[in-house]
Amino acid sequence: MENGLNWEQTLINELAHGMELAKQLRAHLNSTSSAESREILLQRILSSYEKAFMILKWSGSIGHPQLSAPITNLPESSISGDGSPQSEEFDRGFKDQQDQNDVSKKRKVLPTWTGQVRVCSENGFEGPTEDGYSWRKYGQKDILGAKYPRSYYRCTYRSLRNCWATKQVQRSDDDPTIFEIIYRGRHSCNETPHTAPLPPPPSSSSSLDKQESKPKNNPNNCQQQQQSQNMFFNFRTSSRVDTDDSDNKDMASHFEFPSTSSLVWNNGENNASFAFSTLVRDSILESCRSPLFVPPATSETSYFPVPQCQMMNGFGMVHSESDLTDIISCNTSATNSPIVDLDFSIDPVVQDSHFPFDNPGFFN
DNA sequence: AAAATTTGACCTAC
DNA sequence: GTAGGTCAAATTTT
């Protein structure tokens, strides 16, 4: 990809610009600047990131023309978004998915759609833990050259709902507070109403000792994300507060948008990575309330609840190997937790044309 | 008791 | 032969 460098550089510049603006906004937040100035900054930040996404989209189309085709009529199973990145090379993906039903041991038979999510978590927060799905750990492996072991998770409803989504979580060598998550397969366990409660909080273990995330979500999570399959950005919030279990409480008390947590976009091929500062996230959250961020007038579900972001417990971004899809997901964890569930997802659909934050139909 | 996690063994791709 | 991914029994947690 020769033109890769150009767009990559442009993208980096754009994101860097956005980051800078975010910092400025942070400064404004700390001071007593006017709401207008903040709003302006916020708009600029959003604009900057919109451009960045545009660039990503275009680059993806160029690099993988075959992927730019509309995928709106993909089989449900394939588009069932999910925590896992629904991005990817669909043709291959489908095939692979079918194979998945046959054997699970074959390495390459597994889905091609692999997204990478990096979640930086500090404050003991287990970033990767909550991505809106219910996972069960089925293995752990020491990886050559890696300081930390890699954990393998599969959908809790694998057998129950024949959901073959899996994910791998591995802590970054460089920064232990960063987790890299690779999703494979799509969730097909969506059936519950979108009104379902949010997933339960992480089993706590805020300790990084526990190596990776601890998936503890409820079944409904799957579909929650699936609903966002064609969504570029997906914000969810839950105003529900339930302190049934102590973990939830923990979440509530510990998790406060880890100021250092960052979201990194990782494009496998280009090695381009970008980080969103918490500020940006805050901005995004903030934008939920602003006209700038127009929730999709979804046709089938009222997916976008009222954004009353109080906190969020997960944040991750996924980018498929093929440049196609990206999903940023930040959710709250907990089914019962109070929280805001923030989810970004960049769907392949987006690649196609305009960058539609405010484009009806873009969000589903 | 049921569900989830741990962990060593096994299998497959490279 | 080695590394990575999955299985499944044992163990732990809920």
Side-chain angles (χ1 to χ4, degrees):
Chain A
M1 291 202 193
E2 45 182 279
N3 52 12
L5 285 179
N6 288 332
W7 70 262
E8 185 177 324
Q9 187 55 52
T10 305
L11 182 56
I12 291 173
N13 291 340
E14 199 58 56
L15 286 165
H17 179 57
M19 181 89 73
E20 185 53 43
L21 290 170
K23 287 176 182 174
Q24 289 179 32
L25 178 57
R26 176 164 52 188
H28 278 256
L29 291 175
N30 291 333
S31 67
T32 53
S33 60
S34 67
E36 286 96 322
S37 59
R38 292 180 196 171
E39 184 64 27
I40 290 173
L41 275 174
L42 175 57
Q43 291 185 21
R44 292 177 63 191
I45 291 170
L46 289 173
S47 174
S48 182
Y49 281 104
E50 281 184 23
K51 288 179 191 174
F53 282 127
M54 279 283 261
I55 294 169
L56 256 184
K57 179 191 71 180
W58 282 86
S59 66
S61 298
I62 294 170
H64 307 271
Q66 77 281 10
L67 296 177
S68 60
I71 57 169
T72 50
N73 35 0
L74 287 171
E76 188 175 12
S77 59
S78 68
I79 46 178
S80 53
D82 28 13
S84 54
Q86 32 191 259
S87 34
E88 26 284 343
E89 308 170 339
F90 290 95
D91 39 1
R92 272 203 290 162
F94 289 143
K95 210 192 323 181
D96 289 341
Q97 188 129 35
Q98 292 182 329
D99 290 343
Q100 282 179 14
N101 293 328
D102 300 331
V103 189
S104 52
K105 274 192 174 182
K106 294 178 183 175
R107 196 182 301 178
K108 289 268 177 166
V109 170
L110 283 177
T112 11
W113 345 315
T114 64
Q116 266 204 336
V117 177
R118 288 187 180 182
V119 180
C120 172
S121 61
E122 289 190 359
N123 303 337
F125 164 62
E126 288 181 280
T129 303
E130 303 306 322
D131 53 16
Y133 290 86
S134 182
W135 303 97
R136 173 173 296 184
K137 189 174 185 176
Y138 65 86
Q140 180 169 305
K141 198 78 175 171
D142 285 325
I143 301 303
L144 193 70
K147 282 184 193 172
Y148 305 95
R150 176 178 299 166
S151 295
Y152 301 86
Y153 297 88
R154 65 185 175 206
C155 180
T156 301
Y157 309 98
R158 183 174 191 161
S159 52
L160 273 170
R161 303 182 190 180
N162 196 34
C163 180
W164 294 83
T166 64
K167 75 171 179 179
Q168 298 175 1
V169 179
Q170 183 162 27
R171 191 181 297 184
S172 168
D173 285 348
D174 299 332
D175 186 349
T177 62
I178 293 179
F179 293 85
E180 292 185 29
I181 304 176
I182 297 175
Y183 290 96
R184 293 185 175 176
R186 293 186 178 84
H187 283 273
S188 57
C189 55
N190 63 323
E191 287 141 75
T192 30
H194 43 286
T195 52
L198 289 172
S203 59
S204 81
S205 62
S206 46
S207 55
L208 293 174
D209 300 315
K210 287 214 151 186
Q211 350 247 48
E212 264 70 33
S213 54
K214 274 205 162 177
K216 286 204 172 180
N217 303 334
N218 82 25
N220 302 315
N221 298 328
C222 286
Q223 38 138 301
Q224 281 190 326
Q225 292 216 340
Q226 292 184 323
Q227 295 174 342
S228 65
Q229 53 190 40
N230 289 324
M231 186 183 274
F232 188 78
F233 272 106
N234 166 21
F235 291 88
R236 290 181 291 177
T237 61
S238 166
S239 55
R240 180 176 174 190
V241 178
D242 187 328
T243 54
D244 272 354
D245 74 54
S246 56
D247 278 347
N248 288 337
K249 292 174 188 170
D250 280 351
M251 276 297 297
S253 58
H254 290 154
F255 186 10
E256 351 168 309
F257 274 141
S259 60
T260 52
S261 63
S262 62
L263 199 169
V264 178
W265 234 312
N266 187 5
N267 177 324
E269 276 181 28
N270 303 308
N271 290 323
S273 60
F274 317 97
F276 280 82
S277 67
T278 299
L279 244 185
V280 174
R281 287 193 315 212
D282 287 347
S283 298
I284 292 170
L285 288 173
E286 185 72 26
S287 68
C288 293
R289 286 169 243 152
S290 106
L292 278 176
F293 215 87
V294 183
T298 359
S299 53
E300 52 178 29
T301 62
S302 52
Y303 184 73
F304 270 72
V306 182
Q308 285 238 306
C309 317
Q310 298 169 1
M311 75 189 223
M312 114 185 127
N313 85 356
F315 200 84
M317 180 158 264
V318 180
H319 197 292
S320 74
E321 288 178 342
S322 62
D323 271 10
L324 237 204
T325 317
D326 300 327
I327 294 177
I328 304 174
S329 71
C330 33
N331 315 334
T332 22
S333 47
T335 312
N336 308 326
S337 79
I339 328 207
V340 174
D341 200 357
L342 175 59
D343 236 65
F344 293 86
S345 70
I346 303 176
D347 197 274
V349 176
V350 182
Q351 304 243 338
D352 214 10
S353 28
H354 15 300
F355 194 73
F357 267 110
D358 51 357
N359 186 10
F362 187 67
F363 296 86
N364 270 344

